């Protein structure tokens, strides 16, 4: 993969679009809860990306 390649999630955030994080990390977190398997990394990434989506939606200002 070229060094200049950008993941689709990052492209979505740059374009101020919502990402597919619910479909990916959200599904992993749900399955983890059902199977009683902790998913701390996925939860961390999920919440960071959701916060970035909210920032893009104008719900808060971060400087």
């Amino acid at each position: 993969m070229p060094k200049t390649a950008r993941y689709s999630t990052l492209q979505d955030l740059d374009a101020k679009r919502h990402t597919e994080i619910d479909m990916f990390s959200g599904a992993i977190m749900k399955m983890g809860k059902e199977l009683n398997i902790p998913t701390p990394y996925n939860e961390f990434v999920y919440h960071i990306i959701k916060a970035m989506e909210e920032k893009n939606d104008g719900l808060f200002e971060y400087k």
Side-chain angles (χ1 to χ4, degrees):
M1 184 176 292
K3 290 182 180 182
T4 58
R6 295 175 65 76
Y7 293 103
S8 64
T9 299
L10 185 53
Q11 291 176 28
D12 288 339
L13 291 171
D14 287 344
K16 301 197 182 309
R17 293 187 299 256
H18 281 238
T19 67
E20 297 173 325
I21 196 68
D22 290 311
M23 185 173 57
F24 298 125
S25 285
I28 291 170
M29 291 171 12
K30 181 181 176 190
M31 288 172 56
K33 287 180 184 174
E34 291 170 358
L35 299 171
N36 200 31
I37 299 171
T39 59
Y41 178 76
N42 279 293
E43 290 180 34
F44 179 74
V45 171
Y46 175 86
H47 290 294
I48 288 173
I49 293 175
K50 291 305 275 185
M52 294 173 86
E53 288 178 347
E54 290 177 2
K55 178 186 176 292
N56 284 345
D57 288 343
L59 297 177
F60 67 91
E61 179 78 20
Y62 178 77
K63 296 181 181 183

